Amino acid sequence: MPKFTAYDGTELAYHLVGTGKPLICLPGGAMRASAYLGDLGGLSAHRQLVLLDLRGTGDSPVPEDVSSYRCDRMADDVEALREHLGLDTVDLLAHSASGNLATLYAAAHPRRIGSLVLVTPGIQAVGLKVTQDDWRSAVALREGESWYAEGRAAFEEIRGGRDPREVWAAVQPFMYGRWDEAAQEHAAGEDAQINRAAAAVHYQDGVFDPAATTAALAAVDAPVLVVAGAHDATPTPERAAELTALFPRGELTVLPGAGHFPWLDAPGDFVRTLAAFLEPGVRSVRTASGLRLAYRVQGEESAPPVVLVHGRGGSGTDWTGIAEALAATRRVYALDLRGHGLSDWPGRYSFEGFRDDLRGFVDALGLAGADVVAHSMGGAAALLLAVRAPELIGRLVLEESPPLTPVVPRRGFVERPDGELSFDWPVVADIDVQLNDPDPAWRAGYAALATPTLVVAGGPDSHIDQKVIAEMAARIPGARLVTIDAGHSVHAERPEEFLAEIREFGI
């Protein structure tokens, strides 16, 4: 395993998981070996995880000077690792107790932070505290669990002064969103992975200077993501929000159903949220409903905006070539609809939901009047929005959009393919139900559409009936229909011809 030399000559070990740009990961505990982080729910598919074994834990040896276990002194270990890796700035992730360590490092080295992710972090370094009321409220959320009564009784004993370690087995389920076999196996490794003697030194009196640290965080100009679990007490989402507010570019996300180890409780939500935050060129916005939508943007900020909306099973990356071409004269936004790509996957889907996503996206970013270019399922959502709120869309391009007439033959059950998917499979069944029996009011709305509309059909190789697309175009006042013989994905198969048509239309 790779090692590096810390400031005092101690050789510290770290482990590499995955490939890509390095993400230094600091384990919590306090003073727990990094093995419990695993691959962080699959985050290693997006970044190379550099899992540091803090001094005296895992494969890192016990230092000669045990006072070097102090949290404030260990910030120098993080800086030594950065230098060892040859990085000018670091992307840094810290879990639990090491949230304090990462906060101290950021305060001491603000210009070395490229981005910072604090996952259910410790908050003592900035003078915040987890209160008894915080614990009480988090405990109450689990009242329906089979282990709740025993766990609550243990919690009350701790409040009465009993050593937490004596009853920790009963309290542990509160730390997880689901107390299933995987959580129990994960929890079972805790004792062997934590250096208790080191943990006692880690939080010695005088380790933290909250006033100085809080003041120093004002110089951290890097983006900071604080991740809280909705069921966690350490910290609660409310305490996590207080921490987030201390960073100039702080952002909070609360993962539903998650506890203190969100990559175990909600791995998909966790990975998508962090990947969207860490991936260059990707941004996220929350709609008024609280849904997080990821998107990519390029082009001059002052240029006229155009929003690109993908089809079923796709994402904003489907538009890469088109977006690059349009960015020469436009500010281009390519979003991931719910259940797709790096946006939230809520599990239930409908054309109305996708319509509302598009509206929420336009509202949140102040893009009213933007032109919209939409493919397939995304086109149906854009069409429904244009009918309901015509003031939000300037020009509308519908590429191979389903006409929202009952499909023939009707669609039945489709088995999920093997392997990982870039979209949530229930999208298929939920949308097929609506394609089989669309709301007649949707078609009736075509005649009232006042938005200038270009309908792009894909010709005989498309799976959509071209006659029905032509009938849809004929019912939209002033719509122009063009056919490019490319099949269903015109923008991907014949990009130059597609661009020529939408530019002639005014995009």
Side-chain angles (χ1 to χ4, degrees):
M1 90 216 49
K3 297 181 178 180
F4 68 99
T5 302
Y7 65 94
D8 62 350
T10 303
E11 276 202 337
L12 302 181
Y14 61 94
H15 306 267
L16 300 176
V17 181
T19 58
K21 187 179 179 183
L23 175 65
I24 295 177
C25 302
L26 307 180
M31 303 303 293
R32 186 171 180 177
S34 66
Y36 82 96
L37 296 174
D39 67 356
L40 285 174
L43 187 60
S44 58
H46 299 268
R47 300 294 291 268
Q48 182 179 62
L49 309 183
V50 182
L51 306 177
L52 174 63
D53 277 342
L54 304 173
R55 52 180 57 222
T57 71
D59 292 311
S60 289
V62 172
E64 292 184 7
D65 179 8
V66 296
S67 70
S68 65
Y69 286 137
R70 286 171 53 109
C71 186
D72 53 348
R73 292 183 60 179
M74 288 175 60
D76 290 336
D77 290 347
V78 181
E79 177 64 0
L81 177 56
R82 180 197 66 78
E83 293 178 348
H84 166 76
L85 295 173
L87 301 173
D88 184 52
T89 61
V90 295
D91 294 329
L92 184 63
L93 178 149
H95 175 242
S96 190
S98 276
N100 291 306
L101 174 56
T103 298
L104 294 181
Y105 177 79
H109 304 278
R111 295 181 181 178
R112 295 301 186 184
I113 298 293
S115 64
L116 177 62
V117 180
L118 301 174
V119 180
T120 58
I123 55 178
Q124 300 97 311
V126 294
L128 297 174
K129 294 182 179 180
V130 175
T131 67
Q132 292 293 333
D133 284 343
D134 291 342
W135 267 106
R136 190 178 295 107
S137 63
V139 166
L141 293 174
R142 316 305 294 278
E143 189 171 2
E145 304 283 1
S146 61
W147 42 264
Y148 170 78
E150 182 182 2
R152 179 176 179 128
F155 168 68
E156 295 298 337
E157 290 185 47
I158 294 171
R159 288 185 62 207
R162 188 168 182 180
D163 186 338
R165 286 176 293 183
E166 295 178 4
V167 291
W168 189 244
V171 174
Q172 266 187 320
F174 289 111
M175 304 298 289
Y176 295 83
R178 295 188 309 273
W179 189 237
D180 55 14
E181 184 176 341
Q184 293 172 39
E185 181 180 353
H186 186 264
E190 180 178 316
D191 279 341
Q193 292 168 342
I194 290 182
N195 183 334
R196 300 288 180 188
V201 178
H202 194 65
Y203 288 142
Q204 273 185 342
D205 289 345
V207 164
F208 299 128
D209 184 346
T213 299
T214 299
L217 293 181
V220 179
D221 191 42
V224 178
L225 177 65
V226 179
V227 180
H231 288 169
D232 195 17
T234 56
T236 60
E238 292 76 16
R239 294 284 173 265
E242 293 179 43
L243 174 65
T244 305
L246 299 178
F247 294 94
R249 297 176 62 188
E251 173 188 344
L252 172 67
T253 189
V254 179
L255 297 183
H260 198 61
F261 304 92
W263 65 90
L264 289 176
D265 300 325
D269 289 343
F270 178 81
V271 170
R272 284 187 294 275
T273 299
L274 267 65
F277 176 76
L278 293 167
E279 187 173 319
V282 178
R283 304 181 185 184
S284 290
V285 65
R286 288 203 179 271
T287 67
S289 68
L291 192 78
R292 184 186 58 82
L293 296 176
Y295 67 100
R296 296 153 184 84
V297 62
Q298 52 188 305
E300 293 293 331
E301 284 191 43
S302 60
V306 58
V307 178
L308 308 180
V309 190
H310 63 81
R312 186 169 75 176
S315 73
T317 60
D318 293 353
W319 295 103
T320 299
I322 299 297
E324 290 174 354
L326 292 177
T329 58
R330 292 298 197 110
R331 180 72 164 173
V332 184
Y333 299 82
L335 80 154
D336 295 350
L337 293 169
R338 69 173 66 198
H340 293 78
L342 298 179
S343 290
D344 283 347
W345 293 15
R348 297 291 299 274
Y349 305 97
S350 66
F351 283 118
E352 299 95 328
F354 295 128
R355 174 201 65 200
D356 294 344
D357 287 350
L358 183 53
R359 177 168 196 157
F361 182 79
V362 169
D363 286 343
L365 295 181
L367 299 177
D371 296 335
V372 173
V373 179
H375 177 233
S376 192
M377 179 193 76
L383 177 58
L384 293 178
L385 179 59
V387 171
R388 171 168 286 197
E391 72 279 3
L392 295 182
I393 298 178
R395 293 178 179 84
L396 177 62
V397 176
L398 302 175
E399 177 200 352
E400 278 285 300
S401 299
L404 301 179
T405 57
V407 294
V408 179
R410 291 174 66 84
R411 297 187 177 183
F413 172 77
V414 181
E415 186 173 352
R416 185 192 188 282
D418 294 334
E420 291 189 15
L421 299 176
S422 61
F423 71 102
D424 197 8
W425 185 247
V427 170
V428 173
D430 288 351
I431 294 304
D432 279 353
V433 167
Q434 291 192 301
L435 289 172
N436 286 335
D437 297 295
D439 185 342
W442 296 344
R443 297 190 300 281
Y446 294 168
L449 184 60
T451 304
T453 303
L454 172 67
V455 178
V456 180
D461 289 337
S462 171
H463 68 273
I464 296 182
D465 187 333
Q466 299 295 285
K467 291 181 180 179
V468 181
I469 289 182
E471 291 171 2
M472 176 183 71
R475 296 181 65 181
I476 297 174
R480 184 162 69 90
L481 171 66
V482 298
T483 298
I484 301 173
D485 290 336
H488 188 55
S489 295
V490 180
H491 72 274
E493 298 298 328
R494 305 284 285 273
E496 294 303 322
E497 293 175 54
F498 181 79
L499 282 166
E501 291 292 349
I502 66 173
R503 281 172 170 155
E504 182 179 342
F505 179 62
I507 300 295

